[in-house]
Amino acid sequence: MKIRKYILTVMIGITAMTVLSSCGNKEKAAKEQPAQSTQEIFAMDTYMSLTAYGSNSEEAVSKAVQEINRLDAMFSVGNEDSDVTKINENGSGEVSEETAFIMNRAMQVSKETKGAFDITIYPVMELWGFTTKNYRVPESSEIADVLKHVSYTNVEVNGQQVTLSDGASIDLGGIAKGYTSSRVIQIMKDCGIEHAIINLGGNVQVLGTKTDGSDWRVAIQNPDSESSYLGVLSTADKAVITSGGYERYFEQDGQVYHHIIDPQTGYPSESDLTSVTIVCSDGTTADALSTALFVMGLDGAKELYRSGAIDFDMILFDGSRVYVSEGIASGFSTDMDKEIITRQP
């Protein structure tokens, strides 16, 4: 299995902080550059990078790392004490406010996308080995059997009380990182930080602008080439989250099977899109939508965007052309063939 990074943060105009050889140079650099703190960690089964600028940057990053680890333990299906594991085992129970919030948001996206995003897909993911890394192609009869229990309508959330029906089980992996990125941004704000950029395994979210007042520039990786980009997006105060079948996959008998499962079929989605990037002020929504729109395909993505049911922008790629919603079209530069998606067809 091969894992790539699909969104690279390009901080154009910001000089990387380096260790200088003399005290005089250090003092000069300190006057020219705001205080900066960067930390890289491994959590939620991915590598993460957090960078904050400002006098409280070190404290902000430290608190953000603590929050990431706390949420990882709370949401992980691999943790026997997590909210998710306990609900799956018991079929019902009380969860934290955070878990209830995520599940409610997941239900909202599920309804608006007609089930293209579904947290009850967990047992199907297990069949394919995407949760255990013991990859295999299951028999069609196995898929049909577990699909009987897959439906977001089998999840009920009342306050902090969750009930699963019809043998359903859940996994918040398709939305948890987006929620976590939004929590990290809030912690940065609480610490007085005005400029920050975080990358949670490709889930990028930025706070404010760069320290010079210009927009952050986020490069969207070309899924067909590790050495090129689909384009570069200029943005501020947004989450920029990408999904694609090339993120996680395995090969068997010459066939590639990716991890984005269509909840209707139980098989990897046969989408006409190879990459979906959601740009949104809320990381939780952006994370779920990036998966849903991949499953829905180009026409479904256009329809949802034009409906106005959810506030978001998007960058789609079908292998030959880039489709950019009108809300961010002026801030997205690309050398590829581009079509702008307007609210009115």
Side-chain angles (χ1 to χ4, degrees):
M1 176 180 178
K2 188 175 183 181
I3 299 178
R4 303 175 183 170
K5 291 183 179 179
Y6 299 99
I7 300 184
L8 302 179
T9 54
V10 182
M11 294 178 281
I12 297 176
I14 294 183
T15 303
M17 299 291 285
T18 56
V19 178
L20 303 177
S21 58
S22 70
C23 293
N25 283 338
K26 287 181 180 179
E27 291 174 0
K28 181 179 179 181
K31 293 179 181 179
E32 294 176 350
Q33 296 284 350
Q36 171 189 340
S37 181
T38 298
Q39 188 167 341
E40 296 182 356
I41 65 169
F42 185 84
M44 297 184 173
D45 202 30
T46 191
Y47 288 97
M48 302 179 174
S49 174
L50 298 81
T51 299
Y53 299 85
S55 58
N56 293 331
S57 59
E58 186 173 346
E59 176 190 7
V61 169
S62 177
K63 287 184 175 180
V65 169
Q66 292 176 31
E67 179 71 351
I68 289 171
N69 289 327
R70 184 183 74 87
L71 294 176
D72 189 10
M74 183 182 298
F75 302 144
S76 174
V77 292
N79 177 8
E80 62 181 14
D81 294 323
S82 74
D83 279 356
V84 174
T85 299
K86 290 179 179 178
I87 290 298
N88 284 341
E89 289 179 348
N90 301 322
S92 65
E94 186 173 319
V95 298
S96 67
E97 291 184 4
E98 292 99 329
T99 302
F101 174 84
I102 289 182
M103 294 184 69
N104 275 315
R105 184 58 55 84
M107 294 303 101
Q108 292 171 4
V109 174
S110 294
K111 291 175 183 176
E112 295 295 346
T113 62
K114 299 180 176 61
F117 178 77
D118 195 325
I119 59 174
T120 67
I121 196 67
Y122 177 54
V124 182
M125 298 288 287
E126 278 192 308
L127 273 184
W128 287 89
F130 287 113
T131 59
T132 61
K133 298 183 181 179
N134 295 319
Y135 308 108
R136 71 183 186 94
V137 179
E139 297 293 334
S140 58
S141 59
E142 294 179 279
I143 294 174
D145 185 53
V146 297
L147 269 182
K148 297 174 184 177
H149 311 290
V150 174
S151 175
Y152 69 91
T153 61
N154 291 333
V155 180
E156 183 179 356
V157 184
N158 289 315
Q160 292 176 235
Q161 187 70 29
V162 174
T163 302
L164 304 180
S165 59
D166 198 21
S169 56
I170 63 171
D171 182 4
L172 301 179
I175 194 171
K177 281 195 299 179
Y179 174 77
T180 301
S181 70
S182 288
R183 281 292 304 137
V184 167
I185 291 297
Q186 186 58 53
I187 286 172
M188 298 287 184
K189 291 179 180 179
D190 293 343
C191 289
I193 301 300
E194 297 180 352
H195 313 279
I197 184 167
I198 62 173
N199 187 337
L200 308 188
N203 285 30
V204 174
Q205 192 157 350
V206 297
L207 171 60
T209 62
K210 293 188 293 184
T211 55
D212 63 4
S214 62
D215 284 347
W216 295 99
R217 289 169 59 79
V218 181
I220 312 301
Q221 185 72 32
N222 185 342
D224 297 329
S225 172
E226 294 183 356
S227 61
S228 66
Y229 307 125
L230 296 180
V232 177
L233 176 68
S234 296
T235 191
D237 282 319
K238 297 289 185 182
V240 185
I241 297 179
T242 295
S243 287
Y246 42 77
E247 293 174 301
R248 282 191 289 153
Y249 62 88
F250 69 94
E251 297 182 30
Q252 183 172 313
D253 299 326
Q255 178 73 33
V256 175
Y257 299 93
H258 63 74
H259 77 293
I260 302 181
I261 304 296
D262 185 338
Q264 299 300 315
T265 67
Y267 287 86
S269 172
E270 296 183 359
S271 178
D272 55 359
L273 297 172
T274 60
S275 173
V276 172
T277 298
I278 301 298
V279 182
C280 181
S281 58
D282 175 48
T284 312
T285 300
D287 202 5
L289 278 181
S290 65
T291 299
L293 266 59
F294 184 91
V295 173
M296 295 166 70
L298 180 59
D299 289 342
K302 287 181 178 180
E303 181 180 352
L304 182 63
Y305 173 72
R306 287 169 175 159
S307 75
I310 303 176
D311 184 20
F312 70 98
D313 279 288
M314 59 188 180
I315 302 167
L316 313 175
F317 183 57
D318 65 2
S320 59
R321 174 179 291 186
V322 177
Y323 302 82
V324 186
S325 59
E326 62 181 339
I328 56 172
S330 62
F332 182 71
S333 58
T334 180
D335 294 329
M336 304 189 72
D337 184 21
K338 179 175 74 172
E339 178 181 317
I340 297 176
I341 302 173
T342 59
R343 288 292 185 186
Q344 298 299 321

